[in-house]
């Protein structure tokens, strides 16, 4: 089989293909013929050596992938040959609250999905909805589950509530789609008129141009009759947390996903913004297998499909990374494996 390995940090050229023997599943493992993988920001951070979890030497990159079960171990009960599955982001986090013992991740401390075949513990995989293509199914483990957990993991999001999400990254697009199925009013920020039209096509009720409205928190309040957003999915952290706080309703929730970047090493909220609010800030980091399975039931019920920006071939992995790194994508960047 062919698999890519991260030989050298800091450059896309450090991701190199190699051939090796196809693995054989252990007693409680499944052998998956990987059909597609998708890229996430964490894959770039791992490549650059700035991710909190340091990659083990020569790791197979990428956390997100989907494929077909082609063999099972003697003690496997959860899957059979022919099942369509995706690997989970945290293979050891099945349910409940995460603990430090469950922090291992594929593509970092464990081999990832950028390979033709991989062995997964039967506990570290979920069935994917039948209506999704392989490319769409590969988009779910990180961005999809994070969006789902952001919307469902705190105070219940009842119909008629307002959700604000920032930008047009894949996670924000999932938030738009999921929030609409829950009956929420959805507001999104962007600086692009073309992307604004596409966001409305996905179901966004309002789009605020943050370049034209630097005080976009006030614009959100105006759109909600002064009440503010009941839930803010905060995707940029240091650069946007002040406006997100100003946009949030008095007792709103702010789901904080990013806490630092190369320019700012922490979040900072002014006294004026925080003192006037009783909003709760909640940290989210993807989710458990149980969250993944709950999300999949919603995808099946509503026929929701992830937004795929572009699909690359297995020989175009470096091109896929460069396209993703450019920031031009609207939706997920996918590599078709086979």
């Amino acid at each position: 089989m062919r698999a890519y390995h991260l030989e050298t940090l800091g450059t896309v050229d450090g991701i190199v293909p190699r051939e090796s023997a196809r693995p054989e599943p252990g007693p409680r493992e499944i052998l998956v013929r990987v059909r597609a993988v998708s890229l996430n920001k964490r894959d770039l951070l791992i490549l650059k050596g700035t991710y909190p979890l340091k990659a083990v030497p020569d790791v197979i990159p990428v956390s997100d992938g989907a494929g077909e079960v082609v063999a099972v171990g003697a003690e496997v009960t959860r899957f059979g040959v022919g099942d369509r599955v995706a690997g989970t982001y945290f293979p050891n986090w099945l349910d409940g609250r995460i603990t430090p013992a469950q922090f291992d991740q594929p593509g970092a401390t464990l081999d990832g999905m950028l390979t033709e075949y991989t062995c997964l513990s039967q506990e570290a995989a979920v069935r994917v909805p039948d209506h999704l293509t392989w490319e769409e199914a590969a988009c779910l483990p990180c961005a999809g589950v994070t969006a789902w957990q952001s919307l469902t993991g705190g105070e219940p999001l009842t119909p008629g509530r307002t959700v604000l999400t920032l930008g047009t990254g894949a996670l924000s697009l999932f938030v738009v789609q999921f929030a609409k199925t829950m009956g929420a009013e959805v507001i999104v920020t962007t600086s692009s008129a073309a992307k604004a039209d596409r966001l409305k096509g996905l179901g966004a009720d309002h789009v605020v141009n943050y370049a034209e409205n630097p005080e976009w928190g006030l614009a959100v309040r105006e759109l909600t009759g002064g009440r503010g957003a009941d839930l803010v999915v905060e995707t940029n952290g240091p650069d946007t947390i002040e406006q997100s706080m100003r946009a949030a309703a008095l007792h709103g929730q702010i789901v904080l996903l990013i806490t630092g970047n190369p320019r700012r090493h922490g979040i900072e909220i002014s006294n004026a913004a925080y003192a006037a609010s009783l909003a709760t800030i909640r940290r989210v980091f993807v989710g458990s297998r149980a969250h993944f399975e709950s999300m999949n039931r919603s995808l099946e019920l509503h026929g929701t499909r992830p937004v795929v920006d572009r699909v690359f071939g297995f020989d175009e992995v470096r091109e896929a990374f460069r396209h993703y790194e450019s920031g031009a994508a609207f939706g997920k960047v996918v590599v078709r494996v086979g």
Side-chain angles (χ1 to χ4, degrees), residues 55 161 207 257 298:
R161 295 293 183 95
V207 180
L257 303 178
S298 177

Side-chain angles (χ1 to χ4, degrees), residues 82-168:
D83 285 346
R84 303 172 76 243
V85 301
T88 56
Y89 190 90
F90 289 105
N92 299 316
W93 184 17
L94 306 185
D95 201 353
R97 292 183 173 182
I98 195 169
T99 68
Q102 299 165 325
F103 283 171
D104 279 334
Q105 299 168 26
T109 55
L110 306 170
D111 276 335
M113 301 294 286
L114 197 56
T115 176
E116 291 181 319
Y117 292 90
T118 188
C119 284
L120 301 175
S121 164
Q122 67 167 342
E123 305 298 339
V126 300
R127 287 179 175 84
V128 295
D130 291 337
H131 72 283
L132 299 183
T133 66
W134 290 122
E135 291 77 14
E136 292 166 337
C139 298
L140 302 177
C142 182
V145 175
T146 303
W148 182 257
Q149 159 81 318
S150 296
L151 295 171
T152 64
E155 183 179 332
L157 182 66
T158 54
R161 295 293 183 95
T162 299
V163 172
L164 167 66
T165 190
L166 312 184
T168 55

Side-chain angles (χ1 to χ4, degrees), residues 15-297:
I15 303 173
V16 298
R18 291 208 301 266
E19 291 191 3
S20 60
R22 195 180 84 168
E24 295 296 329
R28 298 182 181 181
E29 291 182 329
I30 58 176
L31 178 65
V32 178
R33 172 68 169 100
V34 181
R35 298 296 186 179
V37 303
S38 74
L39 303 184
N40 293 287
K41 184 176 181 179
R42 55 88 74 178
D43 298 313
L44 292 179
L45 297 177
I46 290 170
L47 176 64
K48 295 174 182 177
T50 59
Y51 194 62
L53 284 181
K54 300 305 179 184
V56 297
D58 209 39
V59 71
I60 296 174
V62 181
S63 61
D64 288 17
E68 179 183 3
V69 178
V70 294
V72 300
E75 299 176 21
V76 168
T77 58
R78 297 190 70 237
F79 301 103
V81 172
D83 285 346
R84 303 172 76 243
V85 301
T88 56
Y89 190 90
F90 289 105
N92 299 316
W93 184 17
L94 306 185
D95 201 353
R97 292 183 173 182
I98 195 169
T99 68
Q102 299 165 325
F103 283 171
D104 279 334
Q105 299 168 26
T109 55
L110 306 170
D111 276 335
M113 301 294 286
L114 197 56
T115 176
E116 291 181 319
Y117 292 90
T118 188
C119 284
L120 301 175
S121 164
Q122 67 167 342
E123 305 298 339
V126 300
R127 287 179 175 84
V128 295
D130 291 337
H131 72 283
L132 299 183
T133 66
W134 290 122
E135 291 77 14
E136 292 166 337
C139 298
L140 302 177
C142 182
V145 175
T146 303
W148 182 257
Q149 159 81 318
S150 296
L151 295 171
T152 64
E155 183 179 332
L157 182 66
T158 54
R161 295 293 183 95
T162 299
V163 172
L164 167 66
T165 190
L166 312 184
T168 55
L171 190 149
S172 290
L173 302 187
F174 273 116
V175 169
V176 173
Q177 293 174 291
F178 290 150
K180 290 308 296 179
T181 65
M182 297 173 186
E185 177 186 38
V186 179
I187 304 172
V188 192
T189 64
T190 184
S191 62
S192 165
K195 289 182 177 180
D197 290 339
R198 297 184 70 180
L199 287 166
K200 290 178 180 177
L202 279 180
D205 297 284
H206 307 284
V207 180
V208 176
N209 188 312
Y210 62 81
E212 296 175 356
N213 298 275
E215 300 292 322
W216 48 264
L218 177 60
V220 171
R221 286 197 164 276
E222 291 174 349
L223 287 170
T224 56
R227 184 171 50 87
D230 298 294
L231 191 153
V232 181
V233 181
E234 171 45 89
T235 61
N236 294 312
D239 295 331
T240 50
I241 187 66
E242 173 81 6
Q243 289 302 311
S244 288
M245 181 61 67
R246 293 182 181 276
L250 179 62
H251 294 280
Q253 303 175 72
I254 297 176
V255 177
L256 183 62
L257 303 178
I258 304 295
T259 58
N261 61 37
R263 299 179 306 279
R264 301 179 182 179
H265 300 298
I267 60 170
E268 184 175 320
I269 304 170
S270 70
N271 178 65
Y274 213 169
S277 174
L278 297 173
T280 299
I281 295 177
R282 178 167 59 92
R283 277 282 285 143
V284 164
F285 192 13
V286 195
S288 66
R289 191 185 77 189
H291 292 128
F292 200 157
E293 291 171 332
S294 175
M295 177 193 71
N296 282 346
R297 289 192 290 273

